[in-house]
Amino acid sequence: MSGAEQVGDQSRTSPTNPRYDVHRREKIVVAALDVIGDVGVSGASMRKVADHAGVPLGSLTYYFGSRDELLRAAFEEHAETVAAKFESRMSHASCPASAQEEIVALIMEDMFANQRELVLNQELYTLAARIPAFREITDAWMARSRAALSQQFDPDTARGLDALIEGLTLHGALGTHQLDQRFVAAMVGRICPV
Amino acid sequence: MSGAEQVGDQSRTSPTNPRYDVHRREKIVVAALDVIGDVGVSGASMRKVADHAGVPLGSLTYYFGSRDELLRAAFEEHAETVAAKFESRMSHASCPASAQEEIVALIMEDMFANQRELVLNQELYTLAARIPAFREITDAWMARSRAALSQQFDPDTARGLDALIEGLTLHGALGTHQLDQRFVAAMVGRICPV
Amino acid sequence: MSGAEQVGDQSRTSPTNPRYDVHRREKIVVAALDVIGDVGVSGASMRKVADHAGVPLGSLTYYFGSRDELLRAAFEEHAETVAAKFESRMSHASCPASAQEEIVALIMEDMFANQRELVLNQELYTLAARIPAFREITDAWMARSRAALSQQFDPDTARGLDALIEGLTLHGALGTHQLDQRFVAAMVGRICPV
Amino acid sequence: MSGAEQVGDQSRTSPTNPRYDVHRREKIVVAALDVIGDVGVSGASMRKVADHAGVPLGSLTYYFGSRDELLRAAFEEHAETVAAKFESRMSHASCPASAQEEIVALIMEDMFANQRELVLNQELYTLAARIPAFREITDAWMARSRAALSQQFDPDTARGLDALIEGLTLHGALGTHQLDQRFVAAMVGRICPV
DNA sequence: AATGAATGAGGATTCATTCAT
DNA sequence: CATGAATGAATCCTCATTCAT
């Protein structure tokens, strides 16, 4: 989509004078998420993000006004990505049984497949615990998850599954031993009414 | 005054014995947890902690060597407190049924009773996600929780309950609507095998 | 729309003629004075002035070349306004006695009627104290004041009155208690020879 | 006074490691006034002041907390110095006539003897025009001036003289031609009742 | 002619840590 | 033993100005 609009690498900007760089905003957001995933929110200084994105420091506050605004944009992007993946999984399920399979796969494969996502998630929750603006992001995200689950499950089961997924992925990612598919499937099954 | 509490020469040098002024050390740890609960780890500067504890700035590095060491001590204290409360709950249960009741009470009452505990938990998890030293703390804590649960439940159920508790408390604390006792009891019941 | 106000080709190039959009230029100057009156010269950034004037940022340097030039234009406008008011007052006086009345009214009513004018005056003097370009503005202004006073008073009295007006208005504006008309009239009377 | 307590240049501190530098606070204040006199308040950055004082940048906020606090301390010092000079002049006068002579000398010699004092005065007034904290400084200063004048003159005359002194010194310093002693004496004489 | 995207230089401030006392 | 004065490094942010369009 966005690639189709580009004629070539230097179509709009020269490398030395990148004025009117349309992708810069997105580039900065991605760099911010990378840096946060690496060194956490507290370690993600404007300078580190700028360096990682390959843009001048001044452009960060030009595009985002403040570090807080950048963090907000970054975590909105993160939540969007993860929620979309979740919804995609759920949309493939045609019945509760296949939905359960998708949930197991999701826990085993998607979530926290890497350190980056685990850290991003935790950092977002931590901000949400203290700062209303980030709470809004997690609220919207949780609502989407629950809505996706509600396509196949009754409200209580949807909420229970949501919580179980949260707990299993976190313990799986933080815990010492690997999550085991049979165990995950069993727990998901127990939450779902027969 | 403070000298009267010292037992002898070894009290100053042995790492296992309380050295210097134990009360002051503890006071600093509690102050650190308070400040972290208020402004997060990144906002918890040595000066803020010292001010909150009512101790001179220099005493922080005197007692803890570095900020990192102080954070570690603080989160060890936090984990200890929460784990002890969990174990206490579990020790009151004489059968799986009463254990389930305790778990429900624990989710509804104990965890994240206040903003402070929610923030502390999230901050600890966030550090654990990136830094091995803090992972050790969460590992030990999780092991204790699981051990407590294993007194009444089989290993899989214990792990499942642990995850469910984690997910429910987090979603309860972060989510928009209050947790409902009937719902919590139902979900706990589903995880537990009949 | 804005093009219709241009007289011809020379309107764009002659420095003495209004070029480009005179209204916009004037609008910027007024906005600059407002902002300076509010947050001082040091707080009057190009962006704040542009926002206040409702014009694009780029137009400031387009019309004024640099911030310095804008400040100069703004303070020239300010001095012109105040000097004109002063001359108007003086022109109403037909004899020294009525001139004294006008001076008293001027001190009591005109000068520093608001915070904005007080600040603008002080900011201009402060610049004049260090920077020759602004000294030129205050020099011309003082010369006009003195000339206006000289219509009714001998040179020494004119200079004395000028200084007294300066001191009374400043102390009246900065001081804690209101200026009292009887007192002002008495002091003006003392400076004027019988 | 303070010199008597010093044994030698390196009595307390070594040049390379100036810990516990008792005079540092005062040194910074003086440097701040120098820099302000040179480049104005807006040009007086913490770094310039630190460089001028020969102290590390970090020590400025250590001693003063913020730039505002430093500016306040600096202008308090300035006001104190000038007010003390004024009071000293006035204390030498034993009768209104000699007081008038002192006032003339003060206008001709003391005030704005140099660019530095003129700038400092104007900068202080400018801040006072917008910021209450600095208004307090000018209020206290004016009260002292008036009190000193009231030793020899009735209240109205004291206030009138105060204003005249203000206006004459300012116009003398900013104006194009030098102040003339005969003229100053005449104006001071006119304000004082016979 | 007019604009606004872009940026480098410099702004104030915070802070963990050091170490002379 | 305990302290707090001291600091350099790094923080976020502001801004006048430039210049491709």
Side-chain angles (χ1 to χ4, degrees):
Chain A
M1 238 183 160
S2 67
E5 287 158 12
Q6 261 186 332
V7 180
D9 275 328
Q10 59 210 18
S11 60
R12 309 174 100 100
T13 65
S14 82
T16 55
N17 190 358
R19 284 176 190 247
Y20 309 109
D21 181 346
V22 261
H23 303 307
R24 178 161 291 190
R25 209 192 130 91
E26 182 62 17
K27 199 158 47 169
I28 294 171
V29 165
V30 172
L33 287 172
D34 283 348
V35 175
I36 294 168
D38 195 29
V39 295
V41 164
S42 74
S45 69
M46 299 292 262
R47 197 161 314 188
K48 277 188 201 138
V49 173
D51 286 351
H52 193 82
V55 303
L57 176 58
S59 73
L60 289 231
T61 40
Y62 176 73
Y63 277 96
F64 293 96
S66 73
R67 184 173 177 266
D68 234 61
E69 208 176 301
L70 170 56
L71 290 177
R72 210 140 55 226
F75 280 115
E76 269 160 16
E77 168 89 7
H78 169 69
E80 163 61 31
T81 303
V82 181
K85 200 153 58 174
F86 189 96
E87 285 169 346
S88 165
R89 281 277 185 196
M90 284 302 105
S91 70
H92 293 153
S94 54
C95 64
S98 66
Q100 287 185 39
E101 286 170 21
E102 291 293 341
I103 290 171
V104 174
L106 181 140
I107 294 174
M108 298 299 298
E109 297 162 27
D110 290 359
M111 304 204 72
F112 308 150
N114 45 51
Q115 167 84 357
R116 184 181 179 274
E117 292 218 355
L118 167 64
V119 173
L120 287 177
N121 249 41
Q122 286 311 120
E123 293 280 358
L124 173 54
Y125 285 168
T126 301
L127 291 175
R130 282 191 304 114
I131 306 168
F134 291 91
R135 184 72 70 100
E136 286 172 19
I137 300 176
T138 55
D139 282 350
W141 179 7
M142 284 184 186
R144 283 178 70 176
S145 299
R146 207 118 58 197
L149 288 166
S150 294
Q151 290 171 352
Q152 300 295 340
F153 303 101
D154 68 275
D156 271 10
T157 303
R159 288 182 66 196
L161 280 172
D162 202 25
L164 183 71
I165 293 168
E166 188 77 55
L168 283 176
T169 47
L170 180 58
H171 283 205
L174 275 191
T176 43
H177 32 263
Q178 207 63 18
L179 233 41
D180 149 22
Q181 169 137 13
R182 182 205 53 76
F183 162 72
V184 170
M187 292 305 132
V188 170
R190 288 191 193 172
I191 290 289
C192 297
V194 283
Chain B
M1 240 182 158
S2 67
E5 287 155 13
Q6 283 175 349
V7 179
D9 276 327
Q10 58 163 356
S11 70
R12 286 194 178 84
T13 52
S14 159
T16 56
N17 278 1
R19 20 176 191 176
Y20 318 126
D21 182 346
V22 233
H23 291 76
R24 171 166 288 192
R25 201 180 190 280
E26 180 63 17
K27 195 157 55 167
I28 294 171
V29 164
V30 171
L33 289 172
D34 283 347
V35 174
I36 293 168
D38 196 29
V39 294
V41 164
S42 73
S45 67
M46 298 293 261
R47 202 158 306 194
K48 276 190 203 134
V49 173
D51 285 352
H52 192 82
V55 302
L57 174 59
S59 72
L60 291 228
T61 41
Y62 180 71
Y63 279 92
F64 293 95
S66 74
R67 182 173 180 266
D68 242 58
E69 204 176 308
L70 169 56
L71 290 177
R72 210 142 52 229
F75 280 115
E76 269 162 14
E77 168 90 6
H78 169 69
E80 162 61 31
T81 303
V82 181
K85 200 154 57 176
F86 190 96
E87 285 169 345
S88 164
R89 281 276 186 197
M90 284 302 104
S91 70
H92 293 152
S94 53
C95 63
S98 66
Q100 287 186 39
E101 286 170 23
E102 291 293 340
I103 290 172
V104 174
L106 181 140
I107 294 174
M108 298 298 298
E109 297 162 29
D110 291 359
M111 304 206 71
F112 307 151
N114 45 51
Q115 167 84 355
R116 183 180 180 275
E117 292 220 353
L118 168 64
V119 172
L120 287 176
N121 252 39
Q122 286 310 120
E123 293 280 357
L124 172 54
Y125 285 169
T126 300
L127 291 175
R130 284 190 304 112
I131 306 169
F134 292 91
R135 183 73 69 101
E136 286 172 18
I137 300 176
T138 55
D139 281 351
W141 179 7
M142 284 184 187
R144 283 177 70 175
S145 298
R146 207 118 59 196
L149 289 165
S150 294
Q151 291 169 353
Q152 300 294 341
F153 303 102
D154 67 274
D156 271 9
T157 303
R159 289 182 64 198
L161 281 172
D162 202 23
L164 183 71
I165 294 167
E166 188 75 54
L168 283 176
T169 49
L170 180 58
H171 283 206
L174 275 191
T176 44
H177 33 261
Q178 206 65 18
L179 233 42
D180 155 20
Q181 169 136 14
R182 182 204 53 75
F183 162 73
V184 171
M187 291 305 132
V188 169
R190 288 192 192 172
I191 289 289
C192 297
V194 282
Chain C
M1 239 182 160
S2 67
E5 287 155 13
Q6 284 176 351
V7 179
D9 277 327
Q10 58 161 354
S11 70
R12 286 195 179 82
T13 52
S14 158
T16 55
N17 277 1
R19 16 174 195 180
Y20 317 127
D21 182 344
V22 232
H23 292 75
R24 172 165 286 192
R25 201 179 189 278
E26 180 63 16
K27 195 156 57 166
I28 294 170
V29 164
V30 171
L33 289 172
D34 282 347
V35 174
I36 293 169
D38 196 29
V39 294
V41 164
S42 73
S45 68
M46 298 293 262
R47 201 158 307 195
K48 276 190 202 136
V49 172
D51 286 351
H52 192 82
V55 302
L57 173 60
S59 72
L60 291 228
T61 42
Y62 179 70
Y63 280 91
F64 293 94
S66 75
R67 183 173 180 267
D68 243 57
E69 205 177 307
L70 170 57
L71 290 177
R72 209 141 53 227
F75 280 116
E76 269 160 16
E77 168 91 6
H78 169 69
E80 162 61 31
T81 303
V82 181
K85 199 154 56 175
F86 190 96
E87 284 168 347
S88 164
R89 281 276 186 196
M90 284 303 105
S91 71
H92 293 152
S94 54
C95 63
S98 67
Q100 287 185 38
E101 285 171 22
E102 290 293 340
I103 289 172
V104 173
L106 182 141
I107 293 174
M108 298 298 299
E109 296 162 29
D110 291 358
M111 303 206 71
F112 308 150
N114 45 53
Q115 167 85 356
R116 184 180 179 275
E117 293 220 352
L118 167 65
V119 172
L120 287 177
N121 252 39
Q122 287 311 120
E123 292 280 357
L124 173 54
Y125 285 170
T126 300
L127 290 175
R130 283 191 304 112
I131 306 169
F134 292 91
R135 183 73 69 100
E136 286 171 21
I137 299 175
T138 54
D139 282 350
W141 179 6
M142 284 184 188
R144 282 178 69 177
S145 298
R146 206 119 59 196
L149 289 166
S150 293
Q151 291 171 352
Q152 300 295 340
F153 303 101
D154 67 274
D156 271 10
T157 303
R159 290 180 65 197
L161 281 171
D162 202 24
L164 183 71
I165 293 168
E166 188 75 55
L168 282 176
T169 48
L170 179 58
H171 283 206
L174 276 190
T176 44
H177 32 263
Q178 205 67 16
L179 233 42
D180 154 20
Q181 169 137 13
R182 184 204 53 75
F183 162 72
V184 170
M187 292 305 132
V188 169
R190 288 191 192 173
I191 289 289
C192 296
V194 284
Chain D
M1 239 183 158
S2 67
E5 288 158 11
Q6 260 186 333
V7 180
D9 274 327
Q10 58 209 18
S11 61
R12 309 173 101 101
T13 63
S14 82
T16 55
N17 188 0
R19 283 174 191 250
Y20 308 110
D21 182 347
V22 261
H23 304 306
R24 176 162 291 190
R25 210 192 129 91
E26 181 61 17
K27 198 158 49 170
I28 294 170
V29 165
V30 171
L33 287 173
D34 283 347
V35 174
I36 293 169
D38 196 29
V39 294
V41 164
S42 74
S45 69
M46 298 293 264
R47 200 160 312 187
K48 276 189 203 138
V49 173
D51 286 351
H52 193 82
V55 302
L57 176 59
S59 73
L60 289 230
T61 40
Y62 176 74
Y63 277 98
F64 293 96
S66 73
R67 184 173 178 266
D68 235 62
E69 208 176 303
L70 170 56
L71 290 177
R72 211 141 53 227
F75 281 115
E76 269 161 16
E77 168 89 7
H78 169 69
E80 163 61 32
T81 303
V82 181
K85 201 155 55 175
F86 190 96
E87 285 169 347
S88 164
R89 281 278 186 195
M90 284 302 105
S91 69
H92 294 151
S94 53
C95 63
S98 66
Q100 286 186 40
E101 286 171 22
E102 290 293 341
I103 289 172
V104 174
L106 180 141
I107 294 173
M108 298 299 298
E109 297 162 28
D110 290 359
M111 304 204 71
F112 308 152
N114 46 53
Q115 167 85 354
R116 184 180 180 275
E117 292 219 354
L118 167 65
V119 172
L120 287 177
N121 249 40
Q122 285 311 119
E123 293 280 358
L124 172 53
Y125 285 168
T126 301
L127 291 175
R130 283 191 305 113
I131 306 169
F134 291 92
R135 184 72 70 100
E136 286 172 20
I137 300 175
T138 54
D139 282 351
W141 179 7
M142 284 184 187
R144 282 177 70 175
S145 298
R146 207 118 60 197
L149 289 165
S150 293
Q151 291 171 352
Q152 300 295 340
F153 303 102
D154 67 275
D156 271 9
T157 303
R159 288 181 65 197
L161 281 172
D162 202 25
L164 183 72
I165 293 168
E166 188 75 56
L168 283 176
T169 48
L170 180 58
H171 283 205
L174 275 191
T176 43
H177 32 263
Q178 207 64 19
L179 233 42
D180 151 22
Q181 169 137 12
R182 182 204 53 75
F183 162 72
V184 171
M187 292 304 132
V188 169
R190 287 191 193 174
I191 289 288
C192 296
V194 284

